[in-house]
């Protein structure tokens, strides 16, 4: 007897506001989320504010050069501490001038010495779990979460092998991409290349060889999907590469870290990234990052960022927004996933694993 095909997720996983709220309070608050790059706050006292799972946070470099993250709220009367980016010797609340050390401890406040029993040592900004992952700052609102190397086994060393200079890199360009779709629709689109040959001609003909493309879930059960393929023939490449510069110069590999980040190494050992933010049940924002050593100018990288924005990114916006509209159709019935035992570019085995994670996060 033939087994029943595995079907895609029901539309409610993408369109139900209650499920989205569940994810914001659960999944997205208990997983590792990208905050920013260490190169953005190189000096003692440098900081930037950001938002994760609806929570306002800020990261700051201490006098010991350690980057810490705190909830962006004063412990006195709940005013926000900082906005945007900047540098400060101490963190001062604009409301009543309560002053905190860069380590989060309360340093001073107007007239607090007159308060009977006031113990300054017991008051501190609320810290958030923070990891520096090859210069990329990740945070997790769950204090008991396992470290990133447990979630994504082997990835740190693999990326360093493909991009040996990664700890010297800094962002050269950010491309911000608003999308009118649920964040999972965008993540799924990124996590399969079944659609690439017919929808991304520049990427499929001028960067990679689709016939060699494959996406594999982590064999050990880690929350990572690895994309692998070879570069296009040199006469078809849309940018120059030196195949002798690194053993992996002719390879493309991507490491998608569940739920909202991906490192990509383009042929020629060019590092770029995706990271997502869920804004509402119907909208998300994607950022494409492009990096060079020290953030130095590069005509090749600038050109790649422009090419990517005008081709693959623009093509994907149309795809994901159409899918999200389709998920609201009364006529949609989740169809079978295309699971080829041989895997490869025309298989959706990566989507099967991704949707397993999505289902587990909600149910």
């Amino acid at each position: 007897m033939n087994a029943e095909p595995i079907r895609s997720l029901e539309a409610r996983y993408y369109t139900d506001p209650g499920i989205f709220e569940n994810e914001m309070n659960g999944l997205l608050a208990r997983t590792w989320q990208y905050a920013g790059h260490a190169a953005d706050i190189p000096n003692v006292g440098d900081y930037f504010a950001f938002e994760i799972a609806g929570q306002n946070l800020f990261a700051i470099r201490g006098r010991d050069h350690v980057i810490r993250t705190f909830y962006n709220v004063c412990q006195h009367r709940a005013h926000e501490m900082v906005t945007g980016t900047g540098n400060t010797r101490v963190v001062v609340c604009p409301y009543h001038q309560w002053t905190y050390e860069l380590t989060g401890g309360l340093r001073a406040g107007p007239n607090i010495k007159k308060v009977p029993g006031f113990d300054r040592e017991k008051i501190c900004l609320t810290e958030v779990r923070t990891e520096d992952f090859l210069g990329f700052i990740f945070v997790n609102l769950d204090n008991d979460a396992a470290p990133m190397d447990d979630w994504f086994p082997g990835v740190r060393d693999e990326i360093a092998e493909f991009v040996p200079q990664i700890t010297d890199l800094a962002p050269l360009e950010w491309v911000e991409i608003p999308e009118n779709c649920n964040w999972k629709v965008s993540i799924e689109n990124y996590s399969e290349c079944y659609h690439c040959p017919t929808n991304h001609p520049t990427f499929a003909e001028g960067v990679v060889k689709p016939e060699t493309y494959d996406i594999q879930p982590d064999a050990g059960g880690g929350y990572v999907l690895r994309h692998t393929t070879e570069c296009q023939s040199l006469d078809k490449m849309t940018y120059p590469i030196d195949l002798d510069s690194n053993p992996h110069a002719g390879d493309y590999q991507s490491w998608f870290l569940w739920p909202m980040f991906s490192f990509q190494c383009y042929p020629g050992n060019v590092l770029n990234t995706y990271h997502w933010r869920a804004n509402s049940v119907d909208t998300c924002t994607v950022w494409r990052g492009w990096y060079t050593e020290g953030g130095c100018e590069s005509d090749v990288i600038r050109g790649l960022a422009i090419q990517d924005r005008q081709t693959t990114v623009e093509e994907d916006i149309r795809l994901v927004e159409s899918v999200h509209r389709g998920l609201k159709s009364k006529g949609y019935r989740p169809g079978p996933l295309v699971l080829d035992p041989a895997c490869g570019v025309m298989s959706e085995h990566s989507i099967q694993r991704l949707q397993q994670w999505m289902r587990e996060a909600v149910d």
Side-chain angles (χ1 to χ4, degrees):
M1 182 181 294
N2 292 331
E4 182 69 20
I6 295 174
R7 294 181 178 271
S8 188
L9 288 179
E10 298 171 12
R12 66 185 179 89
Y13 284 88
Y14 310 90
T15 62
D16 185 337
I19 286 179
F20 178 78
E21 198 64 28
N22 179 308
E23 292 169 339
M24 291 290 280
N25 294 324
L27 170 70
L28 302 183
R30 298 174 63 187
T31 48
W32 289 101
Q33 304 284 328
Y34 178 67
H37 198 276
D40 293 332
I41 47 174
N43 304 309
V44 171
D46 285 350
Y47 66 84
F48 61 83
F50 61 101
E51 188 174 293
I52 294 292
Q55 295 296 309
N56 195 351
L57 312 171
F58 72 96
I60 190 165
R61 189 178 289 274
R63 291 183 174 80
D64 54 3
H65 293 279
V66 173
I67 294 173
R68 296 176 178 85
T69 304
F70 301 97
Y71 284 91
N72 193 8
V73 60
C74 182
Q75 300 299 288
H76 175 218
R77 297 259 303 280
H79 196 283
E80 294 173 338
M81 300 297 299
V82 301
T83 57
T85 62
N87 179 276
T88 186
R89 291 179 59 253
V90 289
V91 183
V92 182
C93 177
Y95 196 11
H96 299 103
Q97 285 69 56
W98 278 34
T99 302
Y100 298 83
E101 304 287 359
L102 302 185
T103 53
L106 182 65
R107 178 175 181 173
N111 212 33
I112 61 174
K113 293 181 179 179
K114 297 292 183 67
V115 180
F118 191 102
D119 188 349
R120 179 171 57 86
E121 300 296 326
K122 292 183 178 179
I123 298 177
C124 185
L125 297 175
T126 305
E127 192 167 355
V128 175
R129 286 280 301 282
T130 305
E131 282 202 29
D132 184 326
F133 195 87
L134 299 169
F136 293 77
I137 305 167
F138 287 81
V139 301
N140 195 319
L141 303 186
D142 180 4
N143 287 330
D144 297 321
M148 290 185 70
D149 286 333
D150 288 358
W151 280 72
F152 316 117
V155 169
R156 191 190 301 260
D157 291 339
E158 291 168 22
I159 295 175
E161 184 178 342
F162 273 75
V163 191
Q165 75 281 20
I166 188 167
T167 55
D168 298 323
L169 297 183
L172 174 66
E173 183 164 339
W174 288 108
V175 180
E176 183 175 345
I177 310 146
E179 293 181 339
N180 292 315
C181 68
N182 183 267
W183 68 274
K184 296 187 296 298
V185 172
S186 187
I187 294 289
E188 285 188 6
N189 177 72
Y190 173 83
S191 298
E192 51 97 338
C193 218
Y194 186 32
H195 72 282
C196 292
T198 51
N199 288 280
H200 297 316
T202 300
F203 179 70
E205 298 169 14
V207 179
V208 302
K209 288 182 180 176
E211 64 271 23
T212 67
Y213 206 105
D214 195 18
I215 308 174
Q216 288 293 332
D218 185 74
Y223 288 91
V224 55
L225 300 174
R226 291 174 174 85
H227 300 219
T228 58
T229 186
E230 299 172 7
C231 71
Q232 245 321 337
S233 57
L234 295 185
D235 60 315
K236 294 182 179 179
M237 288 290 293
T238 54
Y239 65 97
I241 64 171
D242 178 5
L243 291 178
D244 298 324
S245 62
N246 181 283
H248 292 290
D251 300 329
Y252 166 100
Q253 179 138 343
S254 170
W255 298 262
F256 171 74
L257 311 184
W258 168 255
M260 286 189 166
F261 190 87
S262 186
F263 290 99
Q264 286 192 135
C265 182
Y266 270 30
N269 309 107
V270 175
L271 185 75
N272 54 94
T273 59
Y274 277 82
H275 74 273
W276 287 259
R277 290 284 187 270
N279 301 324
S280 73
V281 68
D282 295 320
T283 63
C284 65
T285 304
V286 188
W287 281 268
R288 290 284 279 121
W290 297 87
Y291 307 83
T292 59
E293 291 191 49
C296 294
E297 276 298 331
S298 167
D299 291 340
V300 170
I301 303 304
R302 291 283 190 193
L304 264 175
I306 293 171
Q307 171 183 291
D308 179 71
R309 181 64 180 87
Q310 294 178 345
T311 59
T312 305
V313 168
E314 196 63 36
E315 292 151 5
D316 276 335
I317 292 173
R318 292 193 292 270
L319 294 173
V320 298
E321 293 188 348
S322 176
V323 168
H324 191 71
R325 290 192 298 271
L327 287 165
K328 295 187 175 184
S329 169
K330 293 181 179 179
Y332 176 62
R333 305 290 184 272
L337 294 175
V338 177
L339 303 177
D340 185 340
C343 298
V345 70
M346 303 305 286
S347 182
E348 294 177 301
H349 48 282
S350 55
I351 298 301
Q352 178 187 11
R353 181 62 60 85
L354 191 63
Q355 292 189 348
Q356 174 191 334
W357 295 337
M358 292 174 177
R359 189 179 290 108
E360 289 172 352
V362 172
D363 296 341

